[in-house]
């Protein structure tokens, strides 16, 4: 026969010092755990992986095969695929950034973020974890895209591995800065339909009114003027200069500086909007 000891009536059970002093995990631990959660959600749904790869591969195939021969006389880089691929890296990163905002709104609607608010978790950690998970996914996506371009279309830029790697890093930085912009928009609009509309309204003028797919001299005069002030043109040109071993000048610094400003401003408004009641 066994018996249990209980606290006398009217006395609260003693709490352990560790539990009384616990205020949640460290910020670093929160970021690591939440980043892993976002990545596992992607891996568990193969459809996300497949469709996120199909779109840039289709764009690469269409633009390289449809416009390649027509634009060979307008470019100075030897082959259109070498000219096109740095732009595909940057534009693919923009598309991935838009999905970050849509994913945040989905988490807001399915109640996950509501549960997070009841835990000792910094809301900034949630946003940072999502941005890092999407950045990792974009990095893998761009590597697969580069391998496909090399194997299927003969992508072999003059800058070699170092130039291509630098262009890849720059595309990731541009993508991460725009991720924070779209997270900021998502935290304020909080509707998937509005987020998609805003995203596509911003993406297509940025992509096609730029030097991404054709040289600026090949554009109509009025469109060339727009493209010269388009910030995406600077990012694409800098990525292209790195990949093709062209004189870099201040293009890379301008692209990095603009990305840093967008990241800081986007992060500020994202955190501010995210803290609003759901």
């Amino acid at each position: 026969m066994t018996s249990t000891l209980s606290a006398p009536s009217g006395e609260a059970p003693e709490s352990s010092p560790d539990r009384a002093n616990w205020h949640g995990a460290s910020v670093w631990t929160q970021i690591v755990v939440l980043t892993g959660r976002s990545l596992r959600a992607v891996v568990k749904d193969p459809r996300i992986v497949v469709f996120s790869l199909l779109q840039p591969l289709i764009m690469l195939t269409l633009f390289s095969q449809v416009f390649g021969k027509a634009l060979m006389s307008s470019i100075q880089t030897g082959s259109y695929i070498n000219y096109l691929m740095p732009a595909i890296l940057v534009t693919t990163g923009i598309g991935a950034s838009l999905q970050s905002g849509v994913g945040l709104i989905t988490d807001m609607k399915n109640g996950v973020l509501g549960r997070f608010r009841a835990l000792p978790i910094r809301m900034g950690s949630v946003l940072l974890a999502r941005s890092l998970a999407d950045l990792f996914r974009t990095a893998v996506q761009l590597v697969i895209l580069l391998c496909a371009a090399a194997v299927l279309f003969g992508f072999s830029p003059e800058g070699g591995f170092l130039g291509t790697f630098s262009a890849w890093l720059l595309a990731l930085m541009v993508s991460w800065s725009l991720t924070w912009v779209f997270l900021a928009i998502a935290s304020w609009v909080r509707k998937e339909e509005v987020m998609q509309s805003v995203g596509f309204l911003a993406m297509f003028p940025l992509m096609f009114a730029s030097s991404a797919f054709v040289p600026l001299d090949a554009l109509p005069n009025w469109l060339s003027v727009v493209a010269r002030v388009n910030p995406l043109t600077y990012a694409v040109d800098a990525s292209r200069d790195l990949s093709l071993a062209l004189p870099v000048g201040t293009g890379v610094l301008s692209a990095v500086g603009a990305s840093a400003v967008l990241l800081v401003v986007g992060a500020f408004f994202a955190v501010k909007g995210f803290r609003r009641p759901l």
Side-chain angles (χ1 to χ4, degrees), residues 123-152:
M123 291 297 100
S125 299
V126 177
L127 291 175
L128 181 57
R130 170 162 287 281
S131 73
L132 291 175
D134 291 335
L135 181 66
F136 179 80
R137 184 177 66 174
T138 303
V140 175
Q141 184 181 17
L142 295 185
V143 168
I144 295 175
L145 197 60
L146 284 170
C147 293
V151 173
L152 299 177

Side-chain angles (χ1 to χ4, degrees), residues 45-262:
D45 192 348
R47 295 172 298 179
I48 299 177
V49 179
V50 172
F51 286 111
S52 64
L53 287 174
L54 278 179
Q55 181 180 353
L57 283 173
I58 291 173
M59 287 187 61
L60 174 62
T61 302
L62 289 177
F63 279 101
S64 63
Q65 302 305 305
V66 173
F67 297 126
K69 292 183 179 179
L71 294 172
M72 277 297 296
S73 60
S74 301
I75 62 175
Q76 308 294 328
T77 59
S79 71
Y80 183 66
I81 188 63
N82 290 346
Y83 177 88
L84 175 67
M85 196 58 206
I88 293 292
L89 294 179
V90 175
T91 55
T92 299
I94 295 176
S97 302
L98 172 60
Q99 294 307 312
S100 298
V102 175
L104 180 63
I105 295 176
T106 301
D107 281 346
M108 288 180 176
K109 287 188 173 183
N110 62 21
V112 172
L113 298 183
R115 292 192 292 271
F116 284 164
R117 290 177 186 274
L119 299 173
I121 296 177
R122 293 181 181 270
M123 291 297 100
S125 299
V126 177
L127 291 175
L128 181 57
R130 170 162 287 281
S131 73
L132 291 175
D134 291 335
L135 181 66
F136 179 80
R137 184 177 66 174
T138 303
V140 175
Q141 184 181 17
L142 295 185
V143 168
I144 295 175
L145 197 60
L146 284 170
C147 293
V151 173
L152 299 177
F153 305 112
F155 174 63
S156 181
E158 288 79 357
F161 173 80
L162 183 59
T164 303
F165 179 72
S166 301
W168 176 79
L169 285 178
L170 181 61
L172 287 180
M173 183 166 189
V174 172
S175 175
W176 198 35
S177 66
L178 290 175
T179 291
W180 284 102
V181 172
F182 285 119
L183 287 176
I185 296 174
S187 67
W188 287 92
V189 300
R190 300 190 176 185
K191 288 187 178 180
E192 294 178 356
E193 297 81 3
V194 178
M195 184 68 213
Q196 293 278 10
S197 300
V198 172
F200 284 113
L201 186 64
M203 281 177 56
F204 282 98
L206 283 174
M207 288 171 55
F208 293 101
S210 70
S211 62
F213 304 112
V214 297
L216 295 180
D217 295 339
L219 294 173
N221 290 335
W222 69 271
L223 191 56
S224 177
V225 173
V226 174
R228 292 181 190 280
V229 297
N230 185 345
L232 187 63
T233 295
Y234 297 98
V236 169
D237 287 348
S239 179
R240 189 170 282 145
D241 291 342
L242 292 170
S243 177
L244 300 177
L246 298 174
V248 174
T250 60
V252 174
L253 292 178
S254 299
V256 171
S259 298
V261 171
L262 284 176

